[in-house]
Amino acid sequence: MTALVTATGLKRSYEIKQGWFRAPAQLQAVGGVSFALDAGKTLAVVGESGCGKSTLARLVTLIEKPSAGTLVLDRLDAVNPPASAAQTLRRTVQIVFQNPYGSLNPRKRVGAILEEPLIINTTLSKRERRVQALDMMTRVGLRPEQYGRYPHMFSGGQRQRIAIARALMLRPKLLVADEPVSALDMSVQAQVLNLLVDLQRELGLAYLFISHDLGVVRHIADDVMIMYLGIAMEHGPKERIFAQALHPYTRALLDATPGLGRKRQRMVPKGELPSPLDPPNGCVFSTRCPHVTDLCRAQRPPLRPLDGRLVACHYAERFLDTQAA
Ligand SMILES: Nc1ncnc2c1ncn2[C@@H]1O[C@H](COP(=O)(O)OP(=O)(O)OP(=O)(O)O)[C@@H](O)[C@H]1O
Ligand SMILES: [Mg+2]
């Protein structure tokens, strides 16, 4: 089976102006990310603010083009698609953002918000569009009588349900969810996560699920990719990584997550995230790693297979089969 999504060496840089007399600098937001995602599965992308998660989301949803690398979506070249494939690709992948307040047009009723993608992309009649909108509302746990209401009449969780419904109107195969529950209260977070799990099962959706919180992705992910300064530190099946994280950064993130860390040793990632304009030589995590050596400062560790996942640490063997750190 070929994967639904195959990304190889995806990079995205931005030019940053440095004032009148200095040449612009290159900020590498995504520095060469590769992954494969099968239909119906979830890849969670996790990391601190600024590590490149949303940039990766924009690349995968075709909002921006990568500076380098390839992206194949449902067997189509998504970086330079043939004209005939462009519309198909836009229907294949949809996105849900963190903030349902900002992403829904306040002047439109829910029905109109949900039917808009159908007006633009299909030849369905008004009646058919209404039937589909009402059907999708039921699927996401909204009631038919809410069809004529405006977004401000809904709670945050309900608004995120509307945003999810809108993203699914064209029956995409891949949903990119960029921090979809981060703005919601804890109890509501769980409801929306459960909804996403149910929809995945019913519709066979693949998710690229972005979060800064390992606790959130634990329930929803099949695979997890931990990112730091635009590159993957550890990437593999959720079971492997949660059972025994091999990268010091993953271990620090786990320890900082309530309910997941080793209780004796709370090691919140220490120190400042380096500027992405001036990333450390060698290992990008070397300036904050408790186990740093001269080798780490000098040489960037490759992402390599070890114990059923990929890990980018010279000393990843250190944590194999031991809970001691
Ligand atoms: N359009 C842009 N122009 C310049 N720099 C950008 C642009 N978009 C993102 N960046 C920079 O790229 C890096 C990655 O940003 P990105 O938004 O992808 O991170 P993130 O992981 O989504 O962070 P957060 O958790 O805060 O949402 C940051 O240093 C950011 O400042
Ligand atoms: Mg972001």
Side-chain angles (χ1 to χ4, degrees), residues 163-224:
I164 292 166
R166 180 182 55 181
L168 297 182
M169 287 307 290
L170 293 171
R171 299 302 165 111
K173 296 181 180 177
L174 170 65
L175 188 67
V176 175
D178 189 354
E179 304 261 13
V181 300
S182 306
L184 307 174
D185 292 343
M186 277 303 242
S187 59
V188 182
Q189 282 194 7
Q191 291 166 14
V192 173
L193 287 173
N194 287 337
L195 170 67
L196 286 170
V197 170
D198 292 344
L199 289 168
Q200 178 165 59
R201 208 174 300 130
E202 286 166 29
L203 304 173
L205 289 162
Y207 292 148
L208 184 71
F209 186 96
I210 290 171
S211 178
H212 62 274
D213 185 345
L214 273 171
V216 164
V217 313
R218 171 156 222 179
H219 302 286
I220 196 162
D222 295 293
D223 285 353
V224 181

Side-chain angles (χ1 to χ4, degrees), residues 54-131:
S54 296
T55 305
L56 182 65
R58 290 194 298 275
L59 299 180
V60 175
T61 44
L62 321 178
I63 295 170
E64 283 180 24
K65 277 203 179 213
S67 322
T70 63
L71 178 66
V72 177
L73 278 180
D74 207 13
R75 300 196 178 82
L76 295 169
D77 174 359
V79 177
N80 293 302
S84 58
Q87 199 188 0
T88 315
L89 275 167
R90 274 196 296 277
R91 295 181 64 153
T92 302
V93 53
Q94 296 289 324
I95 189 163
V96 172
F97 296 100
Q98 169 172 351
N99 183 352
Y101 302 77
S103 65
L104 299 173
N105 185 336
R107 283 185 294 276
K108 288 209 164 135
R109 298 170 194 269
V110 172
I113 288 171
L114 299 188
E115 288 168 32
E116 193 169 48
L118 300 178
I119 294 176
I120 298 168
N121 291 281
T122 74
T123 54
L124 294 176
S125 71
K126 195 167 188 266
R127 217 187 129 265
E128 290 166 325
R129 291 196 301 262
R130 187 185 166 95
V131 168

